[in-house]
């Protein structure tokens, strides 16, 4: 009897109820599709609005300067939020604003001057990306650790919960290129096409807000963290691990949102509708989300990310030799999907590790600020991807008014679709070998729990 009292059986961690898992996951699909639609902005502006490719790329790059300010303050604002609804949950309302401004972005008047078109697109892009999407990026981990309470739940949300966004993105990637070929022949057609996805995904993206409440208190003090701007700068100075995560997120988003695929299939394959074949092939990636929880019992998230980066490098090499061969292009697409999944789906787990590290070194946890840093990196990557695409193909001689593009432009498109992504994945693999927080995280969490108990 005494032995049973002194050595109680470990409490089995509960999993996430299926309904909550689905409700939580739908928002990821909503924001994922919204960001993918922005990756089509360059070809919309160049082909339909008749704007110079280099100008469009410059506008998207210019928006990143504002992103730096909004991301920094978004994380700080969320970390200082204390409402009856919670700390992260109120910012889910930004889903509505994100989709509204995304639709308005494509409603730029076709007859307007290039200056008016540029201002319109830039302003709407800033609202959608630099404000609404910024808060949605920064609030996600804050919301999760206060709505759920165990490491098992976090893993389930990041793995099993990743299946729903991937399915939504898969459906989008199948339907959008097909519909684009028939609908996106004018500015009005583009608007109708975007609305087909915007309306239902706004509703689905808001389900998390209505279904899941914040019930878990992870703050050391009863009043919660009193984060100030000085602590944010201390975070940026003392927590080097968030930079490694953010850099990986930047690279993956740069490659995902570059939008090279639509140019590749237009100019090299010769049929943009065949992009849907690559999208269908991504269904092979979905079972990984069910395997990851078992893999994470044997290896750390960081190691899984490193493996993914090497797979991503292999994908670029396959694409270089593919040309218009659909079999090789499908293999390259599958490898690309497999390589990007660990970073995109498991970043939240590493951000929680960074928050635990913050607490361990005497800072506030600052999940919001950590999420903002990672979100900023993702948006910078997406912006650089979209911007550099327009600039590089423009410098290489691409002209949307030409029926046949020069060889220099074709070569640039091929490189942007293959060897450049391969090289970036290799560089990120080498950088990610510096992430060793996972080796000490168990001890760090145990010491944090002891400190909370004393407090």
């Amino acid at each position: 009897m005494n032995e049973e009292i002194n050595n109680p059986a470990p409490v089995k961690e509960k999993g996430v109820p299926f309904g909550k898992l689905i409700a939580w996951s739908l928002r990821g699909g909503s924001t994922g599709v919204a960001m993918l639609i922005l990756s089509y902005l360059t070809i919309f502006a160049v082909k339909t609005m008749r704007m110079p490719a280099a100008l469009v790329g410059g506008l998207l790059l210019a928006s990143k300067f504002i992103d730096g300010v909004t991301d920094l303050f978004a994380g700080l604002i969320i970390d200082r939020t204390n409402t009856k609804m919670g700390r992260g949950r109120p910012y889910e309302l930004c889903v509505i604003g994100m989709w509204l401004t995304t639709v308005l972005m494509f409603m730029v008047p076709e007859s307007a001057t290039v200056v008016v078109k540029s201002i319109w697109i830039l302003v709407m892009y800033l609202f959608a990306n630099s404000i609404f999407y910024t808060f949605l990026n920064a609030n996600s981990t804050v919301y999760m650790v206060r709505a759920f309470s165990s490491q098992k739940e976090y893993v389930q949300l990041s793995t099993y919960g990743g299946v729903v966004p991937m399915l939504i993105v898969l459906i989008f990637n199948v339907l959008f290129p097909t519909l684009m070929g028939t609908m996106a022949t004018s500015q009005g057609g583009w608007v109708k096409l975007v609305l087909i996805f915007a309306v239902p995904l706004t509703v689905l993206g808001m389900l998390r807000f209505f279904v899941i409440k914040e019930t878990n208190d992870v703050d050391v003090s009863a009043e919660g963290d009193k984060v100030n701007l000085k602590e944010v700068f201390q975070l940026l100075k003392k927590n080097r691990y968030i930079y490694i995560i953010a850099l990986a997120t930047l690279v993956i988003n740069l490659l995902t949102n570059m939008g090279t695929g639509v140019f590749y299939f237009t100019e090299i394959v010769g049929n943009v509708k065949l992009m849907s074949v690559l999208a269908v092939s991504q269904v092979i990636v979905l079972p990984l989300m069910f395997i990851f929880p078992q893999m994470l019992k044997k290896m750390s998230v960081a190691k899984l990310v490193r493996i993914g980066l090497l797979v991503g490098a292999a994908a670029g090499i396959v694409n270089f030799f593919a040309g218009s061969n659909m079999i090789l292009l499908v293999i390259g697409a599958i490898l690309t999907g497999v390589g990007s999944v660990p970073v995109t789906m498991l970043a939240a787990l590493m951000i929680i590790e960074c928050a635990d590290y913050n607490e361990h070194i005497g800072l506030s946890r600052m999940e919001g600020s950590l999420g903002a840093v990672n979100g900023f990196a993702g948006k910078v990557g997406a912006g650089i991807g979209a911007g550099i695409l327009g600039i590089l193909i423009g410098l290489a001689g691409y002209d949307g008014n030409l029926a046949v593009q020069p060889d220099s432009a074709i070569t640039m498109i091929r490189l942007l679709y293959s060897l450049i992504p391969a090289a970036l994945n290799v560089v990120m693999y080498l950088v990610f070998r510096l992430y060793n927080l996972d080796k000490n995280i168990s001890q760090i969490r145990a010491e944090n729990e002891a400190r909370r108990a004393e407090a």
Side-chain angles (χ1 to χ4, degrees), residues 94-229:
C94 290
V95 170
I96 299 171
M98 177 191 67
W99 273 112
L100 177 62
T101 48
T102 298
V103 173
L104 289 174
M105 198 181 311
F106 288 86
M107 295 181 71
V108 53
E110 193 170 5
S111 60
T113 64
V114 173
V115 174
V116 172
K117 290 176 182 177
S118 299
I119 294 173
W120 182 294
I121 289 176
L122 179 61
V123 170
M124 294 305 165
Y125 187 88
L126 287 174
F127 270 104
N129 198 51
S130 302
I131 296 178
F132 296 119
Y133 187 59
T134 289
F135 277 97
L136 290 171
N137 259 324
N139 88 318
S140 188
T141 307
V142 176
Y143 191 3
M144 183 170 71
V145 298
R146 287 165 178 78
F148 304 93
S149 58
S150 71
Q151 186 66 18
K152 181 178 180 179
E153 289 178 322
Y154 302 154
V155 170
Q156 287 180 332
L157 292 168
S158 301
T159 54
Y160 301 145
V163 173
V164 174
M166 288 182 68
L167 279 173
I168 293 174
V169 168
L170 171 63
I171 293 170
F172 168 82
N173 283 332
V174 171
L175 293 179
F176 198 89
T178 304
L179 294 174
M180 178 182 165
T182 55
M183 294 182 65
T185 56
S186 65
Q187 185 259 354
W190 272 99
V191 173
K192 292 178 183 177
L193 178 58
V194 174
L195 280 171
I196 288 174
F197 296 91
V199 174
L201 287 175
T202 299
V203 176
L204 294 176
M206 286 299 299
L207 285 181
R208 178 193 293 191
F209 172 82
F210 292 109
V211 173
I212 300 174
K213 299 180 180 180
E214 292 188 13
T215 57
N216 184 39
D217 184 11
V218 298
D219 301 314
V220 176
S221 69
E223 297 178 354
D225 293 331
K226 295 298 183 182
V227 179
N228 53 46
L229 193 57

Side-chain angles (χ1 to χ4, degrees), residues 41-101:
L41 182 60
T42 299
I43 198 166
F44 161 75
V46 172
K47 289 282 192 180
T48 305
M49 293 292 104
R50 303 296 180 186
M51 297 172 66
L55 171 62
V56 177
L59 289 173
L60 298 183
L61 282 177
S63 72
K64 299 303 116 187
F65 291 101
I66 298 176
D67 263 348
V69 177
T70 58
D71 273 278
L72 179 64
F73 282 98
L76 179 62
I77 290 169
I78 292 173
D79 279 329
R80 293 179 64 86
T81 297
N82 282 295
T83 70
K84 291 182 178 180
M85 287 192 296
R87 178 168 294 183
R89 186 182 172 211
Y91 297 97
E92 291 295 304
L93 295 170
C94 290
V95 170
I96 299 171
M98 177 191 67
W99 273 112
L100 177 62
T101 48

Side-chain angles (χ1 to χ4, degrees), residues 291-353:
I291 299 173
F292 277 171
Q294 302 306 316
M295 295 178 69
L296 288 173
K297 293 179 180 179
K298 300 179 180 179
M299 67 178 70
S300 67
V301 178
K303 185 175 182 179
L304 201 54
V305 169
R306 287 195 290 268
I307 294 172
L309 292 168
L310 290 179
V311 173
I317 295 172
V318 171
N319 285 332
F320 178 73
F321 292 102
S324 59
N325 186 310
M326 285 302 298
I327 294 176
L328 288 179
L329 288 171
V330 167
I331 294 173
I334 292 171
L335 292 175
T336 299
V338 172
S340 63
V341 164
V343 173
T344 54
M345 296 301 175
L346 304 179
L349 297 180
M350 291 185 289
I351 289 175
I352 292 174
E353 289 180 353

